[in-house]
Amino acid sequence: MTTLVSRRTLLKGGLAVGAGLAVGFPVVRAARGVARAESPGVFAPKQWLRIDRDGVVTIVNSVPEMGQGSLTTTPMIIADELDVVLDQVRVEQAPANPGLYKNPVTGNQSYGGSRGVRDHLAMWRKAAAAAREMLMQAAASEWAVPVESVETEPGAVVHRPTGRRLLYGQLVDRAQALPVPQDPKLKTPDKFRYIGKHVHRRDTPEKITGRGIYGVDVRLPGMLVASIERCPVLGGKVKSFDGTAAKRVRGVKHVVQVSNGIAVVADGFWSALQGRKALQVTWDEGPTAQVSSAMIAREYEAAAKQPGQVARNDGDAERVLAAGGRVHEAVYQVPFLEHACMEPMNATAQVTPEACVIWAPTQNPGGTQATAARLTGLPPEKVTVHTTLLGGGFGRRGEVDFITDAVETAKAVGAPVKVMWTREDDITHGFYRPATYNSFRAALDANGMPAAWRTRMVGPGILIQKGRVKAGEVDPAAVEAVRNMPYDVPNLRIEWTNKDFGIPIGFWRSVGASQNGFIIESFIDELAHLAGRDPYEYRRALLGKSPRHKAVLELAATKASWGAPLPPGRGRGIAVVFSYGSYAATVAEVSVAADGAVRVHRLVAAIDPGLAVNPDQVKAQMEGGAVYALTATFYGRITIDRGRVQQSNFNDYPMSRINEMPVVDVHILDSGEAPGGLGEPGVPTVAPAVCNAIYVVTGKRIRTLPIDREELKRV
Amino acid sequence: MISLTVNGTRHQIDVQPEMPLLWVIRETLGLTGTKYACGMALCGACTVHLDGAPVRACVTPASAAAGKRVTTIEGLSDKGDHPVQRARTEVDVPQCGYCQPGQIMSAAALLTSTPSPTDADIDGAMSGNICRCGTYQRIRAAIHRAAALGKGGAR
């Protein structure tokens, strides 16, 4: 049926498994009338692993692999608690089946928010431990010895007093008949074989040989390839079109209208692109055609002059600010940003009257299934979703617009279709990180410490735009890392005003914290300098109620030799932000050339993720988060002109490159707390640490991103 | 008809001569390791070797490769054991991995011309390749390691 990698084609065999310890598929067992230990939607340990009679252990990874290493981390956790050799287990990507594979915290089968490990760790460990106890019980029964007298070694149960040993595969049939323990005993951390150790990534071989299959690499018999012409104005629709000339282009097979534009369906991508050029489309541009960046900025500024909705209110900030004294004001602004995943959006679909099959690089298998079910009228269980490797995700691939493209096009032409976006489609039709405007006002007390602080934030709310939070409420994504800012300020008021001009917005790596870390950590730095205090010591003094912030701040400062002399022309800046369950701090070391060019020499980062399951990959995520943040610090800006995104490719929406890469030195603080996220927490501290260092070097305070080199030019 | 030699195999291909080599490789020949990401030679994801020299396949017309030797990631080594690939495994370079075939082809070409590259050499040869996951620090480390492996420095 497909040329996809084996771990997905294996899945079919897995579902049909009758022999073997089907610790995997309670639905299948229920269908056969076998009693189940759990009801659907409740904690069900068994869909995550299975062992067959040959002893082959298969671990089902529900978290899409988008670079974070889930194809390694998920099996590490399960193999450790099951007590099997990691190199010998097979790993499959879970199908879309929210009943079985939903995230137990969010309740859906969609992955964002750095939730891979932190939301699943406890459940996976428990599932694997339950399976291990069942295998031990099976062996104990076989040998007629108390279960307390047996133990496991990798892949086998042993009875030391008699030297007897049975491989897991030999215990499958007996174990299968046992009830699933509800409260299995977990390993103590000192017994971990993999968790907390440096484990090499399992997916490297397929990623360095070109064998790995991403969405764009899917090939099916009879498959056509489509490219969709979209309205240049965001949200615009097709009014009319003429596909006659496009259809005459060599290789073009069909021209069809779909929700997101006109799909040119051809024998290959190049032909589809040539067909697109020959299309004639008249657009109904819609209301967004009236929207431009300059207008948005004016509206934001006007809105910030009025009180917003109160997101937090401690004490009476307005009264203290009105009393005067040393009052400081500043305005911080950040632009819209696009994710720019290296693999442009794409999906492949095959739609028949009976079923729909989708191959997609998606962060959202559950949403993909639901979308396809809605578009085809099929029940969800008739929609199969194969999650391929993702060429970057960063939040963009939680959306389902590219799924809609593929399903509608495939349905319209009656053949399997891969819809591929160009880079230009990708940059101009994204779900952008919100642009925001933030005014700050603070009063310092006699000791220079903040006595009152007010932040007024203006921008659109992602959760409100997506209908997940009611309009009129404070959007939690908009105010994250501001509402819960850690500094001990007795009179603190945070306000937010929802200003949404219909530009599609979405979750961009670290979401609200991506910009709010910058504004809070820059403004606190301003106050430190105003007070004549060392910015590190000033923060420490205000973190009395936030010990985990303080600990990572101190670790970063220590490792960066904060306060030690630097070569002439260099300066340090520091920042600390909590996001997505983890605490992170960064010290940046920068210099600024006479032409305003900033060189970031070194970033020293500290992270407290509670538990670092694969420490080397924790570091990798911090290194990568730093680069993502540096791109936003120096380059990232999406602007809108009459509803059109003005950037289109890496020439006008540039990315940081290897020649700009600083040394990134990551230190992990294993606090033993509940596990936090890792994909996102490396991002928020970088821009403020860099800009705070620039202030030290130049005396210029950066309050708008990306950094304008002209402002840093010395005459 | 265009005659191409890809990874040592000769092909006679009936495509429009202006079609970029990238689509010939990916769609006509089914070698999907070479990636599309920008279409304008801005990111290096499509890097292949043409008679040993790195080129961006997304802007190289198929006709320009006629009669030449094309090497893609699939043809770089028999078992994924080119020093650049071995070093990447040791250093755990790839994250999402999408840009890595292009990065590897650029790095392999660098090491052919400059067996012991300095950091400046690496910047020069590799700054045309974007990695959105930000694996640059490890790419650099892995190129230095590959240089050592290439000289028999493996241990």
Side-chain angles (χ1 to χ4, degrees):
Chain A
M1 175 184 65
T2 97
T3 55
L4 289 179
V5 295
S6 56
R7 68 167 185 275
R8 275 182 293 278
T9 48
L10 283 169
L11 192 64
K12 277 173 61 190
L15 281 163
V17 83
L21 173 60
V23 209
F25 295 94
V27 164
V28 174
R29 293 173 69 187
R32 296 204 314 260
V34 177
R36 280 178 18 216
E38 294 85 22
S39 339
V42 182
F43 172 68
K46 301 174 292 182
Q47 60 274 55
W48 310 105
L49 62 103
R50 61 175 188 274
I51 302 171
D52 70 20
R53 285 175 182 157
D54 297 330
V56 176
V57 177
T58 303
I59 289 172
V60 182
N61 171 42
S62 56
V63 182
E65 169 57 54
M66 59 191 101
Q68 83 282 43
S70 66
L71 287 174
T72 305
T73 315
T74 303
M76 274 175 76
I77 294 165
I78 292 173
D80 208 332
E81 205 64 68
L82 184 60
D83 204 2
V84 292
V85 177
L86 181 59
D87 289 347
Q88 294 170 6
V89 305
R90 290 195 320 205
V91 181
E92 297 179 346
Q93 196 65 34
N97 184 345
L100 282 180
Y101 294 110
K102 66 173 184 263
N103 174 320
V105 176
T106 63
N108 58 45
Q109 201 181 344
S110 175
Y111 301 88
S114 305
R115 293 183 171 281
V117 168
R118 62 179 176 133
D119 286 1
H120 296 84
L121 180 85
M123 178 177 65
W124 285 335
R125 287 186 64 193
K126 198 169 169 185
R132 179 171 162 269
E133 278 192 8
M134 292 162 81
L135 292 159
M136 288 168 66
Q137 183 60 59
S141 308
E142 179 86 23
W143 296 325
V145 299
V147 71
E148 294 75 23
S149 68
V150 305
E151 57 193 292
T152 60
E153 55 189 39
V157 183
V158 294
H159 186 244
R160 298 231 184 270
T162 57
R164 280 178 292 185
R165 188 167 185 277
L166 281 169
L167 298 173
Y168 284 178
Q170 297 172 292
L171 293 165
V172 159
D173 294 312
R174 202 179 264 274
Q176 202 172 18
L178 296 171
V180 181
Q182 288 306 292
D183 198 15
K185 195 161 170 244
L186 301 180
K187 271 189 177 178
T188 50
D190 58 301
K191 297 282 196 302
F192 286 153
R193 182 182 300 272
Y194 303 114
I195 296 172
K197 309 291 193 299
H198 177 174
V199 174
H200 283 290
R201 289 180 66 125
R202 295 170 57 101
D203 52 353
T204 299
E206 62 177 321
K207 288 179 174 178
I208 59 172
T209 53
R211 289 201 318 266
I213 300 294
Y214 298 82
V216 287
D217 302 330
V218 170
R219 293 161 62 83
L220 304 168
M223 182 185 83
L224 299 172
V225 180
S227 181
I228 296 179
E229 181 74 9
R230 294 156 210 276
C231 181
V233 174
L234 293 165
K237 301 280 176 217
V238 175
K239 192 183 276 174
S240 64
F241 75 101
D242 181 350
T244 315
K247 271 190 215 162
R248 281 201 294 265
V249 169
R250 180 176 161 182
V252 172
K253 309 284 188 196
H254 311 269
V255 176
V256 294
Q257 182 171 348
V258 292
S259 298
N260 296 328
I262 303 298
V264 178
V265 188
D267 57 3
F269 189 54
W270 178 251
S271 304
L273 289 182
Q274 305 319 302
R276 245 180 101 173
K277 287 182 194 158
L279 270 182
Q280 292 188 336
V281 190
T282 308
W283 302 103
D284 172 6
E285 296 187 347
T288 317
Q290 311 304 316
V291 176
S292 293
S293 285
M295 177 264 253
I296 293 174
R298 279 197 310 275
E299 294 277 342
Y300 280 1
E301 188 178 350
K305 296 199 192 316
Q306 305 300 322
Q309 291 168 272
V310 178
R312 178 170 171 184
N313 194 21
D314 302 348
D316 191 345
E318 297 292 7
R319 184 184 55 78
V320 180
L321 287 167
R326 290 169 81 188
V327 172
H328 182 62
E329 295 184 345
V331 170
Y332 283 84
Q333 298 180 77
V334 298
F336 291 109
L337 294 175
E338 214 279 319
H339 303 76
C341 300
M342 287 308 287
E343 180 189 15
M345 296 305 109
N346 68 87
T348 302
Q350 180 163 25
V351 183
T352 66
E354 298 79 32
C356 174
V357 188
I358 296 168
W359 294 257
T362 175
Q363 292 177 238
N364 189 355
T368 294
Q369 186 183 54
T371 300
R374 179 173 54 74
L375 294 172
T376 57
L378 292 165
E381 60 272 19
K382 296 287 184 193
V383 177
T384 304
V385 178
H386 299 285
T387 302
T388 64
L389 293 174
L390 281 64
F394 314 119
R396 176 64 179 88
R397 290 197 149 98
E399 308 287 348
V400 293
D401 51 338
F402 52 97
I403 304 296
T404 300
D405 289 348
V407 173
E408 288 184 347
T409 309
K411 192 178 167 196
V413 306
V417 176
K418 173 163 66 180
V419 175
M420 289 175 62
W421 293 37
T422 63
R423 173 60 56 198
E424 289 79 5
D425 295 336
D426 205 88
I427 301 281
T428 57
H429 289 82
F431 288 84
Y432 304 94
R433 195 281 302 272
T436 67
Y437 181 101
N438 310 273
S439 74
F440 285 82
R441 201 150 187 257
L444 301 187
D445 67 18
N447 299 317
M449 306 314 276
W453 170 313
R454 188 189 78 194
T455 304
R456 272 192 185 156
M457 314 174 71
V458 180
I462 301 170
L463 294 166
I464 291 175
Q465 190 182 87
K466 294 189 185 305
R468 288 159 58 176
V469 166
K470 268 191 285 210
E473 292 182 7
V474 173
D475 191 311
V479 298
E480 67 183 359
V482 175
R483 176 156 68 181
N484 56 334
M485 71 100 153
Y487 300 112
D488 193 4
V489 179
N491 302 287
L492 177 67
R493 188 175 174 88
I494 310 295
E495 298 175 5
W496 179 69
T497 297
N498 182 15
K499 274 282 174 193
D500 189 336
F501 295 93
I503 305 300
I505 51 175
F507 306 100
W508 186 97
R509 195 173 187 174
S510 81
V511 195
S514 74
Q515 69 252 39
N516 294 340
F518 166 65
I519 68 173
I520 291 290
E521 284 300 296
S522 296
F523 189 68
I524 192 76
D525 214 72
E526 292 202 45
L527 298 186
H529 286 283
L530 193 68
R533 297 279 296 272
D534 175 273
Y536 163 56
E537 295 295 347
Y538 192 76
R539 284 176 174 80
R540 279 187 74 210
L542 290 167
L543 287 173
K545 291 177 186 163
S546 305
R548 292 180 74 188
H549 282 86
K550 196 173 171 187
V552 288
L553 184 80
E554 290 174 348
L555 181 60
T558 305
K559 295 294 182 184
S561 307
W562 184 266
L566 282 171
R570 287 202 194 181
R572 289 190 189 91
I574 194 166
V576 58
V577 177
F578 167 79
S579 67
Y580 297 90
S582 293
Y583 298 77
T586 297
V587 174
E589 216 176 280
V590 313
S591 61
V592 182
D595 66 355
V598 176
R599 177 89 210 176
V600 181
H601 300 274
R602 192 158 84 114
L603 296 171
V604 179
I607 171 100
D608 170 6
L611 169 71
V613 171
N614 193 355
D616 186 61
Q617 287 303 304
V618 170
K619 292 183 177 181
Q621 283 305 301
M622 294 297 286
E623 293 162 13
V627 177
Y628 210 77
L630 287 171
T631 292
T633 306
F634 290 106
Y635 300 118
R637 174 166 43 205
I638 291 291
T639 54
I640 312 291
D641 178 39
R642 295 167 297 127
R644 295 154 172 84
V645 170
Q646 292 178 286
Q647 293 71 28
S648 63
N649 207 316
F650 296 130
N651 54 334
D652 50 15
Y653 191 64
M655 302 287 122
S656 289
R657 292 169 184 265
I658 195 169
N659 57 312
E660 303 157 293
M661 179 75 196
V663 171
V664 181
D665 183 13
V666 181
H667 300 273
I668 299 169
L669 199 164
D670 231 332
S671 63
E673 300 284 342
L678 285 159
E680 290 166 283
V683 175
T685 52
V686 172
V690 167
C691 293
N692 293 339
I694 290 171
Y695 178 77
V696 169
V697 176
T698 65
K700 300 234 170 80
R701 179 58 68 180
I702 305 291
R703 297 195 183 93
T704 300
L705 293 181
I707 294 171
D708 180 359
R709 195 167 283 193
E710 292 299 310
E711 271 186 37
L712 298 175
K713 225 174 218 175
R714 275 164 288 170
V715 227
Chain B
M1 278 291 187
I2 294 172
S3 172
L4 284 178
T5 301
V6 179
N7 300 333
T9 305
R10 268 193 78 179
H11 300 273
Q12 294 290 329
I13 295 161
D14 178 23
V15 295
Q16 293 155 281
E18 70 274 17
M19 184 198 276
L21 179 60
L22 173 62
W23 304 110
V24 176
I25 292 170
R26 285 184 54 83
E27 297 189 337
T28 313
L29 302 179
L31 297 170
T32 55
T34 306
K35 301 304 189 207
Y36 163 79
C38 75
M40 292 174 69
L42 296 168
C43 77
C46 64
T47 304
V48 297
H49 295 173
L50 204 56
D51 283 345
V55 298
R56 310 301 189 212
C58 72
V59 295
T60 303
S63 57
K68 298 194 172 159
R69 280 182 299 115
V70 179
T71 307
T72 71
I73 186 70
E74 291 90 347
L76 182 65
S77 63
D78 287 342
K79 296 175 182 159
D81 56 356
H82 185 283
V84 171
Q85 292 168 313
R86 282 157 60 202
R88 259 155 225 262
T89 308
E90 284 184 28
V91 182
D92 275 318
V93 174
Q95 289 186 24
C96 91
Y98 191 80
C99 74
Q100 294 294 334
Q103 300 271 3
I104 288 167
M105 296 310 281
S106 290
L110 167 65
L111 289 174
T112 301
S113 62
T114 313
S116 299
T118 62
D119 280 343
D121 294 332
I122 292 172
D123 285 349
M126 302 301 297
S127 59
N129 289 80
I130 294 173
C131 173
R132 186 62 163 145
C133 297
T135 65
Y136 298 129
Q137 176 158 288
R138 291 178 191 233
I139 289 173
R140 185 186 302 283
I143 290 174
H144 286 307
R145 178 66 186 141
L149 289 171
K151 283 197 277 294
R155 261 177 289 276

